[in-house]
Amino acid sequence: MEKTIFVVGAGKGLGNAVARKFGADGFRVVLMSRSAEHLADYQREMQS
């Protein structure tokens, strides 16, 4: 069973660092942010 983490308040600092760590450990990561534009940037960063 795949585990999921929800990161509320995704941003360039702590939120994305937590997302990267859990993603590297096999979690499915769901990011939430006030800006759809920022979310698209974060998604590109994490997929590379």
Side-chain angles (χ1 to χ4, degrees), residues 5-25 27-33 38-48:
I5 182 171
F6 289 83
V7 179
V8 178
K12 291 206 177 270
L14 183 60
N16 282 0
V18 168
R20 280 189 193 90
K21 170 65 177 145
F22 277 86
D25 289 343
F27 281 70
R28 178 175 49 181
V29 177
V30 178
L31 299 175
M32 291 189 244
S33 176
H38 289 158
L39 280 176
D41 291 341
Y42 303 150
Q43 180 181 17
R44 282 190 294 277
E45 288 174 18
M46 293 203 188
Q47 288 178 335
S48 57

